[in-house]
Amino acid sequence: MATQTLTNFDAILKNVYRGPIVEQLNQESYAIDQFERVAANDMGTFSGKQVIFPIHTGRNRGRASITDGGTLPVAGTQSYADGYVTMRYFTQGIELSDQVIKQSETNEGAFVRAMTSEVEGATTDLRKDINRQVYGTGNGALSDVRSTVAALTSATSLNVTSTQYLAVGDSVDLVDSSGVVRAANVAITSVTASTGHDTTTGSGSIGFAATSTTTALTGGTVRLTSPASVVGSAYPVSESDGFRNITATTGALHQIDPANATSVNAAVPTWKGSEIDSSYGTTGLEDQFMRLAQTIRRSSAKSPDVILTTLGVQRRLSNQFTGQKRWQDAKSLKMQEGYSAIMIASGGDPIPVIADVDAPLGFAFALN
């Protein structure tokens, strides 16, 4: 008597496909979510070459205390400057064959329409990358180079300070410390994750195919490939200015410089950001954040609404409060879109400290 077995019956058994597609990627974009919710720039829609906005830069300093009939002080004036914001354009490329569009048109043929998948996926991916740019320096920098590479013709890996913004499949430029592209459109083939995510000294590496340049790369950066990048040329600036530019204490932003005159404005000392340096491992993070909030208040009469930082900094802050924790209504610490926060003292209303996965290691940004 013969026994029916799985081996004999295999040709009759069906493969069962069950959706939906399970997401394995982190699609958080907290900063962008908040900007859209509060209409942060309050400028509405516009077109044209650039946006120009006025700022109040100085008081009337023509004042004095005088006796009856005394000489009046020399008159002063209010001071103003114009900020210039160049338009930036965000793009994401997709390409599909006629066949894949046709053969994915029905539920029986595919879990999702190929065109829908690529368009919606590209939109989400671009949104995620813009969230990275929110924290950046406007020049596409993804990581610093940790060690010198004498000749890239034989090199197939590069030590970097962080792999936070790097992934297999990225096309990047290897740029030296003077901003010159030494290797363009290098495809990343492997990423060894950074160690020490709670410190600024975390390191990792990327792998790539040997390039065609023999120039050494010392103290440079790994940057997103720009369509205009050419080996040997200065790296173009094409991304939006991010928090690291906007809050910097030196350098020009929107053609206004706190220390030097630009082609359109005199130096504006009040334009510089407020910044404090702190030991990352300090146990007094609340005091550090309070100092930063008060520094901002002293210079602008405004207090931050939120502090955005990394997962590690948020955890350090939580550990600082371990001995002081009390159970309370969880909703009191629940922010918009389901994010949670740790509230800290600031001399005024408590400020929520929120972790964003795209915040750069070692930074916290206090924002109004």
Side-chain angles (χ1 to χ4, degrees):
M1 181 173 67
T3 300
Q4 185 64 275
T5 65
L6 286 176
T7 300
N8 296 331
F9 205 70
D10 182 73
I12 305 301
L13 294 175
K14 295 180 178 179
N15 289 322
V16 179
Y17 292 93
R18 188 70 53 85
I21 298 172
V22 179
E23 183 61 75
Q24 296 292 292
L25 303 177
N26 186 320
Q27 306 288 20
E28 291 181 34
S29 54
Y30 179 81
I32 294 298
D33 294 343
Q34 300 311 300
F35 291 155
E36 290 182 345
R37 182 175 66 84
V38 302
N41 63 6
D42 197 28
M43 292 182 179
T45 58
F46 48 81
S47 59
K49 180 180 179 180
Q50 58 190 355
V51 172
I52 303 175
F53 63 92
I55 64 171
H56 187 194
T57 63
R59 304 180 189 278
N60 181 334
R61 310 306 291 183
R63 82 281 196 204
S65 298
I66 63 174
T67 61
D68 185 21
T71 302
L72 293 174
V74 177
T77 64
Q78 303 295 316
S79 299
Y80 301 92
D82 283 333
Y84 293 77
V85 183
T86 302
M87 297 297 99
R88 302 297 186 191
Y89 301 92
F90 307 116
T91 60
Q92 190 90 7
I94 65 172
E95 185 174 3
L96 298 87
S97 68
D98 293 339
Q99 289 79 5
V100 74
I101 294 174
K102 180 65 177 177
Q103 291 181 216
S104 64
E105 285 183 337
T106 65
N107 293 336
E108 291 78 13
F111 284 115
V112 65
R113 309 294 189 271
M115 180 65 77
T116 301
S117 171
E118 290 302 315
V119 171
E120 292 182 352
T123 301
T124 301
D125 294 344
L126 184 57
R127 184 183 185 85
K128 182 68 173 174
D129 191 65
I130 294 173
N131 204 64
R132 170 194 63 80
Q133 292 188 39
V134 165
Y135 293 96
T137 53
N139 60 2
L142 302 176
S143 181
D144 290 328
V145 175
R146 177 169 287 277
S147 58
T148 299
V149 178
L152 293 172
T153 48
S154 59
T156 56
S157 66
L158 192 66
N159 292 330
V160 295
T161 56
S162 172
T163 58
Q164 181 179 11
Y165 304 127
L166 300 170
V168 173
D170 281 343
S171 183
V172 298
D173 292 339
L174 305 181
V175 186
D176 68 17
S177 55
S178 63
V180 174
V181 178
R182 296 305 185 190
N185 303 318
V186 176
I188 295 179
T189 57
S190 66
V191 175
T192 302
S194 300
T195 58
H197 281 292
D198 288 344
T199 71
T200 56
T201 57
S203 62
S205 64
I206 57 174
F208 50 87
T211 67
S212 59
T213 177
T214 58
T215 306
L217 183 66
T218 305
T221 57
V222 179
R223 299 187 183 179
L224 275 182
T225 291
S226 167
S229 62
V230 179
V231 172
S233 66
Y235 198 84
V237 177
S238 55
E239 292 190 348
S240 286
D241 288 296
F243 290 157
R244 293 176 68 177
N245 273 3
I246 294 169
T247 62
T249 59
T250 60
L253 175 70
H254 307 322
Q255 297 192 42
I256 306 173
D257 193 304
N260 303 294
T262 68
S263 60
V264 292
N265 289 302
V268 182
T270 55
W271 187 243
K272 68 178 182 180
S274 300
E275 178 181 295
I276 61 171
D277 293 326
S278 174
S279 170
Y280 197 94
T282 182
T283 57
L285 283 177
E286 183 175 27
D287 179 68
Q288 300 296 316
F289 288 150
M290 188 173 183
R291 282 179 54 205
L292 179 58
Q294 290 178 341
T295 301
I296 294 171
R297 177 186 172 189
R298 185 181 299 113
S299 62
S300 67
K302 294 180 174 65
S303 295
D305 298 320
V306 65
I307 295 176
L308 297 183
T309 188
T310 65
L311 299 171
V313 171
Q314 188 189 53
R315 192 166 65 252
R316 292 287 180 92
L317 181 62
S318 176
N319 290 340
Q320 178 184 330
F321 295 151
T322 298
Q324 305 170 25
K325 286 183 178 179
R326 300 292 184 272
W327 295 108
Q328 56 182 313
D329 181 5
K331 292 183 180 179
S332 65
L333 302 181
K334 203 72 172 178
M335 306 301 293
Q336 294 288 336
E337 288 82 39
Y339 290 86
S340 59
I342 299 175
M343 310 299 287
I344 65 166
S346 64
D349 293 333
I351 301 176
V353 178
I354 300 176
D356 189 338
V357 294
D358 290 321
L361 299 182
F363 285 86
F365 300 93
L367 308 168
N368 180 288

